[in-house]
Amino acid sequence: GEDVEQSLFLSVREGDSSVINCTYTDSSSTYLYWYKQEPGAGLQLLTYIFSNMDMKQDQRLTVLLNKKDKHLSLRIADTQTGDSAIYFCAVKDTNAGKSTFGDGTTLTVKP
Amino acid sequence: EPEVTQTPSHQVTQMGQEVILRCVPISNHLYFYWYRQILGQKVEFLVSFYNNEISEKSEIFDDQFSVERPDGSNFTLKIRSTKLEDSAMYFCATRTDGTGYTFGSGTRLTVV
């Protein structure tokens, strides 16, 4: 089955850029998502990208997809303390309804 | 912005008891899911539901679990005889064609 890997922790200073990385194994993955989870809260969809795209930008968020390497990244520009949360990468193929989630990357933003 | 609503937000139950977790999907969404997240662990797929039937389920979703859409609006997850290891955050998610999931805020189930 699909395997999704993320590094577990990232710490940055306020105002810097954050880059959260994700790798996946199934090349048929078509929908690739980034979710944010604040402590004790649910999963908030931040952005998603289709596999026929290389990049998607949405305000401070930039998603880059390297299909050849099966690598997805989320860049947060001008990171703020309110961005501190766990960020989950999730992938889905066109045939399966389910998404497979990574372990989540805990982003800590220091003032 | 449309929301997926889950109730209750927190449920405490005794081991062996039945629980029903409720979800109200976004009205035009067609695909419904339950995921769970044990504290500190990754989000795990339980089951997907489409056209009034289960379309896929994981090995976690054994005979103790069931789902239904009793009245065309609610989407429920029932655990027949809860075990300690069922303690987790349970998330309902819904989507329609071409969109990502919208997750509810979750039900924290504590089995004592």
Side-chain angles (χ1 to χ4, degrees):
Chain A
E2 174 83 81
D3 192 23
V4 180
E5 300 281 341
Q6 296 178 243
S7 51
L8 293 181
F9 301 99
L10 176 65
S11 180
V12 300
R13 292 230 171 261
E14 194 172 18
D16 288 349
S17 291
S18 308
V19 179
I20 302 171
N21 295 301
C22 171
T23 58
Y24 57 97
T25 54
D26 189 346
S27 58
S28 65
S29 296
T30 304
Y31 300 87
L32 303 106
Y33 307 97
W34 284 104
Y35 290 90
K36 177 182 180 183
Q37 186 180 37
E38 297 185 42
L43 294 160
Q44 175 195 356
L45 177 64
L46 286 178
T47 186
Y48 62 95
I49 192 169
F50 297 118
S51 59
N52 61 356
M53 300 165 67
D54 297 324
M55 186 185 89
K56 181 178 179 182
Q57 186 150 5
D58 184 0
Q59 300 181 336
R60 292 191 297 124
L61 305 178
T62 303
V63 179
L64 294 177
L65 175 60
N66 181 328
K67 277 189 68 177
K68 177 173 165 289
D69 294 339
K70 301 192 197 72
H71 181 266
L72 182 72
S73 67
L74 174 69
R75 180 176 179 270
I76 306 172
D78 187 24
T79 316
Q80 303 297 307
T81 54
D83 294 325
S84 292
I86 303 175
Y87 291 80
F88 290 94
C89 166
V91 301
K92 183 173 84 69
D93 69 30
T94 49
N95 297 321
K98 67 176 185 179
S99 285
T100 302
F101 284 76
D103 286 323
T105 298
T106 299
L107 174 65
T108 302
V109 182
K110 297 177 181 175
Chain B
E1 190 171 321
E3 288 184 345
V4 175
T5 306
Q6 286 188 245
T7 55
S9 55
H10 189 189
Q11 176 141 8
V12 181
T13 188
Q14 288 200 322
M15 195 168 56
Q17 294 296 304
E18 175 184 285
V19 294
I20 297 176
L21 310 182
R22 290 185 167 79
C23 169
V24 179
I26 293 174
S27 60
N28 65 337
H29 282 193
L30 303 174
Y31 304 89
F32 313 114
Y33 306 84
W34 285 101
Y35 285 80
R36 79 171 185 192
Q37 185 182 32
I38 295 171
L39 187 65
Q41 297 185 26
K42 68 165 65 180
V43 178
E44 300 173 293
F45 168 77
L46 291 179
V47 66
S48 59
F49 191 87
Y50 170 70
N51 204 24
N52 287 320
E53 61 183 20
I54 291 173
S55 44
E56 190 173 359
K57 59 183 180 181
S58 71
E59 59 246 20
I60 302 168
F61 194 88
D62 61 21
D63 292 343
Q64 292 300 312
F65 292 87
S66 62
V67 289
E68 61 175 3
R69 246 191 131 206
D71 55 11
S73 60
N74 291 291
F75 177 53
T76 62
L77 174 70
K78 183 193 289 186
I79 310 174
R80 286 190 187 81
S81 178
T82 49
K83 303 187 280 286
L84 293 176
E85 54 264 37
D86 293 327
S87 294
M89 195 78 155
Y90 287 80
F91 292 106
C92 173
T94 75
R95 70 176 183 93
T96 191
D97 289 316
T99 70
Y101 297 93
T102 300
F103 279 84
S105 54
T107 293
R108 182 171 299 284
L109 176 65
T110 303
V111 183
V112 297

